Amino acid sequence: MDITSDACDLRFGQVGIACVRVRRVDAAALCEELERRVRSAPQLFSRAAVVLDLSHLLDLPDDGTVDALLEAVRSAGMLPVGLAYGTSATEALAQRMGLPLIAKFRAAYEPADGGSIAPSAPAPAAAPAPRPEPAREPVHAAAPAGPALGAQHHDGAVRSGQQVYARDRDLVVTGAIANGAEVIADGSIHVYGGLRGRAMAGAQGDEKARIYVSDFRAELVAIAGHYRVFEQIPKDLEGQAVQCWLDGEKLMIARL
C-alpha cells in the first residue's frame, strides 16, 4: 500500500497579480472605473487577481469602507486577494479583514534608502524615522547600476499560456511571444521576434527598465507597473521595431 506522508507541497513563485491603487474613497467610482477596464480588455482583466493599494489615501479607511472597496472590485469582475504592504496600521487592518499583506508591492511605501513613508504622520526633519519591521524581506527597488546578474536567455517561442520570468536580471527572447503568453523581467526585456502577448519589465519597480521589440503586435506592455493595453495596435507601430520606456508615470512607445 502506498502511503503519502505529506498532504501537500507549498512553494513560492512569480505570480501575476495586478495592483489597484485607490486614489479616493469612492466605492461606486472605483467599481465604474474597473468595469471600464474589464470591458476594454476582458481577456486580461476579467477575474484577474488584484491587490488593493491604500497608500495614496491621506487617511487609512475604516474596516467598513475597505470592505465596500473590496466588494466594488469583486462587482467589477476582478478578484481581490490581499492588501499592499504598508504601515503597521495597514497590517492591523489586513489582519482584521482576514487578508494577507502582499510584500511584492511594498516599494509603494518604502524608498530605496530603506526609510519609511507614513503620509499621515511624517517624522520631524531632525529625527530620522526608524526602519519598520527589519525582519521582513528587503525592498526590491530599482537597481542603482542595472541588474546584478547577466541577462537570462530564452531561445525559441513562448507559447500561449506560458510565462517566462527573469528574476533580478534582463530577459532576452529570440523567438515569437504568442497571444496569451507573458514575459516578465526585473530588468529590461529584449524580444528578437514578434510580440503578440504581454511584456512586463521592471517587475520589482525598476523605472529605468526598457522593452525592445523587433516586431510589435502586443496585447500589453508594462514597465514598473505602468502599462498600456492594445485592442488595436496603432498603424505606425504595428509590426515595427519599437522601444518602450517611462517618462515620469507615462509609458512611452516609439519606433527604433
Side-chain angles (χ1 to χ4, degrees), residues 188-252:
S188 297
I189 295 175
H190 305 255
V191 181
Y192 297 105
L195 172 62
R196 294 181 178 272
R198 308 164 193 167
M200 291 167 274
Q204 296 290 351
D206 185 357
E207 296 182 348
K208 295 180 180 176
R210 294 202 173 204
I211 299 173
Y212 302 91
V213 182
S214 296
D215 181 359
F216 187 73
R217 306 175 190 273
E219 293 175 331
L220 172 146
V221 289
I223 297 176
H226 302 277
Y227 69 90
R228 287 180 65 176
V229 176
F230 296 94
E231 288 297 302
Q232 185 173 1
I233 301 294
K235 293 299 183 183
D236 61 328
L237 297 178
E238 184 176 4
Q240 301 298 314
V242 305
Q243 65 170 318
C244 312
W245 73 97
L246 280 184
D247 183 0
E249 294 193 349
K250 187 174 182 180
L251 198 156
M252 310 295 292

Side-chain angles (χ1 to χ4, degrees), residues 60-144:
L60 193 66
D62 59 33
D63 295 19
T65 301
V66 173
D67 192 53
L69 294 173
L70 292 169
E71 185 56 36
V73 174
R74 296 186 189 98
S75 297
M78 296 181 176
L79 302 175
V81 296
L83 300 182
Y85 175 92
T87 62
S88 57
T90 309
E91 183 170 6
L93 171 64
Q95 290 178 350
R96 293 195 303 271
M97 303 296 294
L99 292 170
L101 284 179
I102 309 298
K104 175 181 178 181
F105 299 98
R106 72 177 358 201
Y109 298 86
E110 297 184 6
D113 61 7
S116 64
I117 296 177
S120 58
R131 180 172 178 172
E133 304 184 21
R136 291 183 180 267
E137 66 184 78
V139 178
H140 292 285

Side-chain angles (χ1 to χ4, degrees), residues 10-19 44 47-51 79-82 100 102-105 137 161-167 182-186 198 200 203-204 225:
L10 178 61
R11 299 180 182 181
F12 287 95
Q14 175 68 13
V15 179
I17 301 179
C19 182
L44 179 64
R47 295 186 58 78
V50 298
V51 166
L79 302 175
V81 296
I102 309 298
K104 175 181 178 181
F105 299 98
E137 66 184 78
Q162 284 189 315
Q163 182 189 85
V164 177
Y165 173 47
R167 184 184 297 276
E182 291 182 345
V183 290
I184 305 171
D186 290 346
R198 308 164 193 167
M200 291 167 274
Q204 296 290 351

